[in-house]
Amino acid sequence: MDYATTLAAAVLIGIGFVLQQYAARQEPESRFLSPRILTDLLRKPRWLVGIACMVTGQLLAAWSIGHAALTLVEPLLTTYLLFALILAVPMAKQAIHWTEVTGALILCAGVTLLSLSRSTKPIGLSFGSFSHWPAAAIIAGIAFVAVQTGRRTRGPARAALTGLAAGLVFGIQDALTRQTLQILQGRSVTALFTTWPPYCLLGAGIVGLWLMQNAFSAGPLHSSLPTIAAGEPVAGIVLGIVVFGDRIQISPGMLAIEAGGIAALIVGVVAVARSSAFGGLRKITDAITPHSAPHPSAPPHAPSGVSRLRRAHRRSFHGPASGEEGG
């Protein structure tokens, strides 16, 4: 049941990401890191459908996080790249190449290897007081540095760095989701209003969403999605171990499996996310971007030299006419 729910969440999240990027890519560059990017996107139906898919997927992911270790859920959720690819192919009208298929298989192999080495810790036995969260502050600091570095760059580099920041914040959000579910164990819903994790969860969700839309707007999907997909599970796994006491089996054989799983996960994420179909989405959105085309009611601006020739022509035409009248 945990596996099926997590895969269903990955399907919805992948579809939601593609629809959101399709809409966010139309935003002008001047909206980067501006709150107005969210207010603009709220008026786009395609983006709202993408948000609905993502939120539903996140709710299913929250259920999975509450019933399994983050070291299991995070790698499995990364398969949303596969489902994003399935949707991006018909939208971009691109064929799937063997490199993308190979990347998908490597990604699945990495997820399988990491799942073999997990040690699930039930939520009722986990811990996570406020004093156990300094690692989250460190991860948030890394995300802040990535955003500031991305501000000084443009294009794919900006999209990748901002996407990395969004992925790290989403990893923190996943850990906060687990902490919130832990609070509800044996308590009423009103307990959420008197503890800090739900408020931090809401803040992390808003910041992560805002950063992700900026990453989608800054560049093509194959620039931002790999770092989002890689940053989230890394942050989630670290917090699962440090905060909640998730255990990873330590032995020569298991360490080799874990290292191979992490390597396969990174290689697979990059290979799938760099799909030509994701690059084709950028061409579609560039073609329909409103601010890139002249307004239909506005006449084209003539070069200054042409304007001067037209004025001179009018003066030469009216000059003789007035002379004839005077003569």
Side-chain angles (χ1 to χ4, degrees):
M1 184 64 178
D2 293 346
Y3 290 95
T5 303
T6 307
L7 284 176
V11 172
L12 292 171
I13 291 172
I15 294 174
F17 279 3
V18 172
L19 294 177
Q20 288 175 64
Q21 198 273 346
Y22 192 94
R25 188 66 181 121
Q26 302 174 38
E27 291 298 307
E29 188 177 358
S30 60
R31 293 285 193 274
F32 182 70
L33 295 183
S34 169
R36 288 189 60 186
I37 192 171
L38 290 179
T39 59
D40 289 349
L41 292 172
L42 283 171
R43 295 192 291 266
K44 298 182 178 181
R46 190 187 298 271
W47 185 82
L48 293 175
V49 173
I51 287 292
C53 290
M54 187 190 72
V55 169
T56 304
Q58 293 287 2
L59 291 175
L60 292 177
W63 186 93
S64 298
I65 290 171
H67 292 78
L70 282 178
T71 48
L72 164 66
V73 175
E74 291 290 1
L76 203 55
L77 283 176
T78 309
T79 57
Y80 67 71
L81 277 172
L82 303 178
F83 306 110
L85 177 64
I86 293 173
L87 178 62
V89 166
M91 287 182 63
K93 298 181 180 179
Q94 298 280 342
I96 298 181
H97 302 293
W98 68 268
T99 53
E100 299 156 9
V101 176
T102 303
L105 295 176
I106 294 174
L107 175 60
C108 293
V111 172
T112 302
L113 290 175
L114 288 177
S115 298
L116 289 174
S117 64
R118 83 186 191 280
S119 179
T120 304
K121 194 176 185 67
I123 192 170
L125 299 179
S126 63
F127 60 95
S129 67
F130 189 79
S131 61
H132 295 138
W133 284 86
I138 295 174
I139 293 173
I142 296 173
F144 178 78
V145 172
V147 171
Q148 294 304 314
T149 306
R151 185 195 289 269
R152 298 182 179 90
T153 60
R154 292 180 181 274
R158 172 180 287 183
L161 289 167
T162 311
L164 174 61
L168 294 175
V169 173
F170 282 139
I172 297 174
Q173 175 190 336
D174 292 341
L176 288 168
T177 300
R178 184 171 178 179
Q179 178 78 34
T180 302
L181 293 174
Q182 178 178 299
I183 293 172
L184 288 175
Q185 290 289 316
R187 301 183 188 180
S188 62
V189 179
T190 56
L192 297 177
F193 299 99
T194 58
T195 52
W196 61 269
Y199 298 101
C200 292
L201 172 61
L202 178 62
I206 294 174
V207 172
L209 178 65
W210 175 63
L211 289 174
M212 183 173 66
Q213 304 311 316
N214 280 280
F216 287 163
S217 176
L221 197 61
H222 64 70
S223 297
S224 57
L225 203 54
T227 52
I228 294 175
E232 182 173 358
V234 169
I237 288 172
V238 169
L239 293 177
I241 296 171
V242 175
V243 177
F244 297 102
D246 290 345
R247 292 178 298 170
I248 296 180
Q249 302 179 37
I250 300 177
S251 67
M254 281 299 175
L255 287 176
I257 291 176
E258 291 157 9
I262 293 174
L265 190 66
I266 295 173
V267 172
V269 163
V270 173
V272 175
R274 293 190 65 83
S275 162
S276 59
F278 289 151
L281 287 176
R282 181 189 183 185
K283 298 176 182 177
I284 295 175
T285 53
D286 285 347
I288 63 176
T289 302
H291 65 271
S292 63
H295 194 278
S297 61
H301 294 286
S304 58
V306 176
S307 300
R308 286 195 296 269
L309 287 175
R310 288 176 179 174
R311 287 195 298 269
H313 176 74
R314 285 195 296 267
R315 284 196 300 269
S316 64
F317 175 80
H318 289 296
S322 58
E324 290 171 0
E325 278 184 12

